Amino acid sequence: MLKILGIVAAVIVVAVAGILIYAATKPDTFRVQRSVAIKAPPERIVALIQDLHGWAAWSPYEKKDPGMKRTFSGAQSGKGAIYEWDGDKNVGTGRMEILEAGPGKVVIKLDFMKPFEAHNTAEFMLLPQADSTTNVTWAMYGPSPYVAKIMQTFISMDKMVGTDFEAGLRSLKAVAEKNP
């Protein structure tokens, strides 16, 4: 019996060591992005993005916890606009601040406090096309600390966040194309 327990313990130690070594080989940064073509001018779309009060109309994260507490401060919209939230386990606690807002780009400092602390950048890039559409790319990028690398051995960050970005971009498209 002790021999079997010793073998099981050795297998567990080797498996854990393998996971830790594998996690150490992952990149030190991550980037997740998705894109969509929206039949609207960049000015109309960027107005929806840089007004944090209006994110409830299209952001997938707003729908995950309708009862979350929201606080707005700073500028009304655009550079300096701040949005803080405190929600359930689906959205956690965090803060966004628009660092840059223009016709072709919105850059947001994104700080998560709960359930895990993380400091990333969200970016919306808008590229007008010849056929009166705008290609909109929503990206998030930042550092991958070792704990995040371990989590990424089991959970695909690209799939998890990318699915939310796809849903958000579909909603943004619907809102932008509906409101001329």
Side-chain angles (χ1 to χ4, degrees), residues 134-162:
T134 302
N135 188 39
V136 179
T137 300
W138 186 0
M140 182 172 70
Y141 52 89
S144 280
Y146 188 65
V147 172
K149 292 178 186 185
I150 293 170
M151 289 174 47
Q152 290 171 18
T153 63
F154 302 102
I155 300 167
S156 169
M157 180 83 146
D158 185 77
K159 193 174 196 177
M160 183 176 67
V161 176

Side-chain angles (χ1 to χ4, degrees), residues 61-63 65-70 83 85-88 91-92:
Y61 302 106
E62 293 286 331
K63 293 165 184 58
D65 178 12
M68 81 175 147
K69 297 176 188 125
R70 299 162 181 85
Y83 171 64
W85 71 92
D86 185 7
D88 64 15
V91 295

Side-chain angles (χ1 to χ4, degrees), residues 7-158:
I7 292 170
V8 169
V11 168
I12 291 171
V13 167
V14 168
V16 169
I19 291 168
L20 296 176
I21 291 168
Y22 177 68
T25 67
K26 294 208 166 269
D28 293 332
T29 60
F30 78 94
R31 181 178 182 91
V32 176
Q33 73 177 44
R34 296 294 189 272
S35 298
V36 69
I38 299 177
K39 193 124 180 101
E43 303 78 33
R44 183 182 319 152
I45 301 164
V46 83
L48 295 168
I49 297 167
Q50 70 179 355
D51 180 2
L52 300 176
H53 298 88
W55 278 45
W58 63 269
S59 173
Y61 302 106
E62 293 286 331
K63 293 165 184 58
K64 289 185 178 212
D65 178 12
M68 81 175 147
K69 297 176 188 125
R70 299 162 181 85
T71 306
F72 298 94
S73 60
Q76 180 66 23
S77 69
K79 185 176 180 177
I82 297 169
Y83 171 64
E84 296 177 79
W85 71 92
D86 185 7
D88 64 15
K89 64 182 172 97
N90 295 313
V91 295
T93 302
R95 180 181 192 272
M96 295 190 303
E97 179 179 354
I98 297 180
L99 301 178
E100 180 184 337
K105 185 188 225 181
V106 176
V107 178
I108 300 169
K109 179 182 175 200
L110 188 54
D111 296 310
F112 298 99
M113 309 311 172
K114 292 180 185 176
F116 302 102
E117 186 173 345
H119 305 282
N120 301 311
T121 301
E123 191 173 76
F124 292 85
M125 293 148 296
L126 298 91
L127 184 63
Q129 305 296 304
D131 62 352
S132 298
T133 64
T134 302
N135 188 39
V136 179
T137 300
W138 186 0
M140 182 172 70
Y141 52 89
S144 280
Y146 188 65
V147 172
K149 292 178 186 185
I150 293 170
M151 289 174 47
Q152 290 171 18
T153 63
F154 302 102
I155 300 167
S156 169
M157 180 83 146
D158 185 77

Side-chain angles (χ1 to χ4, degrees), residues 36 38 48 57-58 168-179:
V36 69
I38 299 177
L48 295 168
W58 63 269
L169 288 169
R170 278 192 306 272
S171 293
L172 181 63
K173 175 181 174 81
V175 171
E177 290 179 351
K178 182 175 88 175
N179 297 324

